[in-house]
Amino acid sequence: MSPETNPSHAPRYGSNMGQPLTRRDGLLKVTGRATYAADNHPPGMLYAVTAVSKIARGRVTSLDVAAAKAHSGVVEVMTPANRPPLAHDPDEKMPPFGFRVEVLQNDRVRYVNQPIALVIAQTLEAATEGAMLLDPQYDAQDARVERADGELYDPPAIGVGAPPGAAYGDIDAGLARAAHLVEAEYFTPAQYHNAMEPHAVVAEWDGDRVMLDMPNQALALSCASYAAYFGIPAENVTIRSPFLGGGFGSKAILNGPQILAILAARMLGRPVKLALTRSQMYGPVGHRGATWQTLRIGTDGDGQLTGLHHRAIAATSSFDDFLEPAANASLPLYASPAILVEHKGLRLDTGTPGPMRAPGEASGSAALEVAMDEAAEACGMDPLDFRLKNYAETEPGTGKPFSSKALRACYAEGAKRFGWSRRPLEAGQMRDEKGFLVGWGMGTAVFHCPHFPAEARATLRADGTALVETAGADMGQGAWTALAQIAAEALGLDPQQVELHSGLSTLPDGGIAGGSGHTASAGLALNNASKDAIARLTDLATGNPQSPLFGAGNIGVIARNGRLHRRDDETRSQSYAEILAGAGQPEVVGTAKAARDPSVGAAHALYSHGAVFAEVKIDPDLGQIRTTRLVGAFAAGRIINPRLVRSQYFGGMIWGASFALHEEAVTDRRTGRIMNADLAEYHVPVNADVPSLDAILIPEDDPYINPIGVKGVGEIGITGTVGAIANAVWHATGKRLRRFPIRIEDVIG
Amino acid sequence: MSLSISLTINRQSRTVTLDDPRVTLLDLLREHLYLTGTKKGCDRGQCGACTVLVDGRRINSCLSLAASLDGAEITTIEGLAVGEALHPVQAAFIACDGFQCGYCTPGQIMSAVGLIAEGRAGSDPERIRELMSGNLCRCGAYQGITEAVLEAQKTMTAEKGRDAA
Amino acid sequence: MNRFDFLRPASVAEAVAAAAEPGSAYLAAGTNLLDLMKIGASRPERLIDISRLPGLDRIEWLADGSVRIGAMVRNADLAYDARLAKAFPSVAEALLSGASAQLRNAATVGGNLMQRTRCAYLQDTASACNRRVPGSGCDALYGENRLHAVLGWSENCIAIHPSDFCVPLVALDAVVEVEGADGRREIVVDDLHRLPGATPEKETALAPGELIVGLRLPAAAAAFSANSRYLKLRERTSYAFAVVSAMAALRIEDGTISEARLALGAIAAKPWRVREAEAALLGVTPSVEAFARAAEIALAEARPSGDNAFKIELARRITVRALTLALEGTPAVMPALPASPFSTDPGASHVA
């Protein structure tokens, strides 16, 4: 059925934009009553602090356990010597997303900041000092932390199980016939998620059941994984994660310190709290691995691509694989008769990288968008015209149609709002009234649309209100609000009449809050459960001879404003409360499981798109750079809540600015220690760094993506922005900078 | 060694006995008094999540020893609303979507309250951005934060005007 | 952090007496010391809380036009003191470009003068650092050192002094008043911080147990009030330590420079006053060329201590710019982004 003939589609989209409701959790968050994991204090709780390795490779040869234990308040010190057994081998990966973890299985050290002991004490102060007093001694081997030190290898898979490359057309022939060939290498450094909330857990055992307060982006999956580690059934693990202080991918995957704290709670028979220090977050909880990317772009005399070759070397740890799928950024965006993407792995002595906001897309798009700018320059074309010239009408390579793609509108609206048409083609042409160099750059944003299986329950209650439940995660994207809006619409209720329970693992599995897929995944489950509840309610009404809806059949009613109306005569209606009362039932419960129909992805290419325009100002002599203006225009299917979506885009764009100009983990090449493992020297943007942000929400009606028309918005904002800013720096200075972040010395050098 | 100090916390006088001089104001609030609204983001004065008012001034509670604050008056996020009535800054943060994950929010709000009291920014957004730069927000809610400070300031000025009239 | 004894002396005399005990450290706001204690880089056995000592929190204007600032005056209170900002605008601008509003509300004048280097190798207890453990070596040398010293460093230490505040202080001949077991003495700020030489652990001229109780800015320094500027380069717009910074102040009479002050920050283990460059500007008609000459003189001895040669050129350029801005005149109001190049007018002095 086409969308035009499917009656359920036509009214559904409306203006394409939902209500800009303020956050449902707003009151709790502004009053300090929103409880994050480390805010919990069960009676009798002890504090755990990890001691971490200062070497990148080798062995721990001694720990002064006696000194730590002698410190007043220290209760226990867990080391490889006394660490209780685990039911799962931590050196075995746990599918689907589990990594090998360091949980004191031996004295081996594989990266800096690896946990090497856990000190448990009556107070936080005692546990912290106890960890210091362990004074570890090492047998250190050379740290392999630079590109030249690492072992290059051909990975069987990249990202979370994606194929390591793709080839369409004849790349050699394509590049050989190019009138212009651009070839360059780009470097993106290791970056750390640095959610404002450090990873934390409060663990409390009751027999072989455990209650975990922890920030978690994947509740059901984590319960199963913890259960495997502790040898208990998954239902014996309960995770409460009502609020996450930011996740960005780092709270979707199990890590060693949290497992150890849970183990300590079992060992000691008392609740244990562990919160990582900021510096301890630079190692065991994932990061965005460094990449070295080479791009070759061929264009003909008209500026048409003849070939696009993107090769990425992605750093990972010595003992596990998460390879930033950077080169895949070149697959979905630009039409080219030949595309080749390839990945190599590089083993270094670091913690294992992991998914970090737009994994692959962020670093890959950073390189691709600069390379495209260089190609446009080689062709003497405006960067936007060049991208339009190579606009992909179907997915390059596969030729699949896009489920929807309003990228042209993004380009047009973004350019208009930004004033792009006034941009001089050549670099170094613009100065502001004070004399600052001014540069304008742009980049295309793109992000794929994953969909995770999810379940939900919707209960219509006697008073006509509803309770909807799914074990999702709100890490700031506004899930509590948007998911309630989706359910409310399906239930024919005002959002205020819908209570949402989430963030608790005993609820129906809400899937994973990641990949920008949570609203679509949990939202579809809630939509379906809500419709199931309405269907059941309809059966009660239409089967009740006392009801004005009697005999209408379940196709013959419409749910609206808390009432069911006859489709053939809308004046005949009955409220939900009346229907339930009439049936003598306290409630009616709808349930649903939802997943993506595989045929959707087989038939269509599924992406959100956008265009980002950046202005930078640069001091002509001193080289300091400021992102003075960012305009993004994004098309991401149906928008449930424009207020929250705009905030997501802003957040993504600021991450892009951070990638382009600020963030970099600086590793001592001799020891492998990260010398800026804090928030003073690992720079993320401050308020003054982003004086002007604008996000345009481009209407986009996607009839195929899923029945609620939702794509995803959480990550796309980064993707176009990094390149846009780097291109703006070129436009201001004439310098092509291919190493991120761009620094003062790069500009003045 | 045990140390006794008197503090006024959110308008309530309290005597606190410290068994350990190492306790920071932040850990005193969170781990001893269970006022967990104030957050720990870095514990080193590098993020602003722990911002509270001490004697009316915004400071990083993580870099302040509780023992050295005898007699101080402390206001935390829990003490800002009066009953159910939100402080104008709190209301403005909701209206302007000045947060996402909410973890830096208590610090942002206390910092904004401090900033408005200092009276150095006027209605210049650039000054507000600069003077709010001690509060990191990894979600990137800065635009909403700046708007919220401006809006709250306007509300508070209007309220003051009404009170004076 | 280690357990320590916590003392609250009632007077300066009591504090100084208490500090005679080895292992003692003075605690003011704690914004630097507590941080170092948390990461184990500093482990004093006794903390002597001087934050509430009577008489140290005042800004007093003396009859001769000089000002005496108590050591416990908070950075923000000093920066926003209207009379101080008028007489010594670069001091206020430097203060407001440092740290964050919260930290400035807490941090004290004395604490700022005594703040330690931000060198990551001092902070990292697993690294060799001659300041933290004398004789252990300097891992910053041949390490990650792109922001380290280009002047006055030695093979024993290449750290920089991170203070913004101290840069105008050295340029303006500020003096600290110090109380010790042997009574009170004065040290000019330029002599307070030491270059590492063979003894990097001796970071200041203070004897053990000596306490800074006050800071004086001489009346003569107010003569620059119309033409002074502090300028600071950072890797983000705010809340970052300097890559390099400069304070420039001029007295202009009949179109020529009758007196100049110039100091650089974040390029050496101490705030770096350049008297030779000041002298070269005397009697000169101000011009970009004259300023460039001064910058050449200021950086004449500079040499990279690692991956930081760019800082030398950057220091030259910021010197020229700071002098140019000083010549243009002190801004009538404090810029929205104090000391930031984005609060200035880079004009046509393009040398890139």
Side-chain angles (χ1 to χ4, degrees), chain A residues 433-459:
Chain A
E433 68 287 355
K434 288 179 166 180
F436 287 99
L437 305 180
V438 179
W440 289 359
M442 57 89 54
T444 310
V446 66
F447 200 80
H448 66 123
C449 303
H451 195 112
F452 303 104
E455 302 173 17
R457 182 163 57 227
T459 305

Side-chain angles (χ1 to χ4, degrees), chain A residues 387-637:
Chain A
R387 284 167 175 83
L388 284 167
K389 179 92 184 168
N390 292 288
Y391 194 88
E393 302 294 350
T394 57
E395 187 179 41
T398 68
K400 275 195 244 177
F402 291 100
S403 64
S404 60
K405 180 178 179 179
L407 177 56
R408 276 186 210 285
C410 295
Y411 284 139
E413 292 298 313
K416 191 167 130 199
R417 184 79 60 90
F418 186 82
W420 183 259
S421 62
R422 299 194 305 276
R423 176 185 179 273
L425 187 61
E426 303 292 323
Q429 301 299 303
M430 295 200 292
R431 291 247 184 170
D432 75 357
E433 68 287 355
K434 288 179 166 180
F436 287 99
L437 305 180
V438 179
W440 289 359
M442 57 89 54
T444 310
V446 66
F447 200 80
H448 66 123
C449 303
H451 195 112
F452 303 104
E455 302 173 17
R457 182 163 57 227
T459 305
L460 282 166
R461 302 185 287 207
D463 62 356
T465 65
L467 168 67
V468 297
E469 300 164 288
T470 188
D474 196 331
M475 48 197 175
Q477 76 278 45
W480 291 181
T481 311
L483 293 178
Q485 286 177 262
I486 291 171
E489 186 178 289
L491 288 163
L493 290 171
D494 185 275
Q496 299 312 314
Q497 296 171 288
V498 176
E499 187 180 351
L500 174 89
H501 285 183
S502 194
L504 176 65
S505 65
T506 53
L507 299 173
D509 176 10
I512 297 167
S516 300
H518 194 40
T519 305
S521 304
L524 182 61
L526 282 166
N527 172 76
N528 293 359
S530 299
K531 290 199 162 155
D532 185 47
I534 290 294
R536 290 168 192 274
L537 186 74
T538 304
D539 287 344
L540 293 182
T542 57
N544 183 344
Q546 257 67 66
S547 168
L549 305 170
F550 180 66
N554 63 13
I555 191 71
V557 296
I558 302 166
R560 196 166 60 222
N561 298 328
R563 303 181 74 82
L564 294 184
H565 298 259
R566 285 188 80 112
R567 214 179 266 282
D568 54 7
D569 177 4
E570 294 199 13
T571 62
R572 294 170 69 187
S573 72
Q574 196 171 22
S575 76
Y576 300 169
E578 288 162 359
I579 296 167
L580 286 168
Q585 290 202 14
E587 61 183 34
V588 59
V589 180
T591 59
K593 292 185 179 192
R596 172 173 288 152
D597 179 344
S599 69
V600 173
H604 292 98
L606 312 173
Y607 295 96
S608 300
H609 294 92
V612 180
F613 298 83
E615 176 185 271
V616 299
K617 291 193 178 180
I618 303 177
D619 189 294
D621 306 321
L622 305 177
Q624 195 169 317
I625 310 170
R626 196 176 188 208
T627 309
T628 44
R629 209 150 57 90
L630 284 175
V631 174
F634 302 96

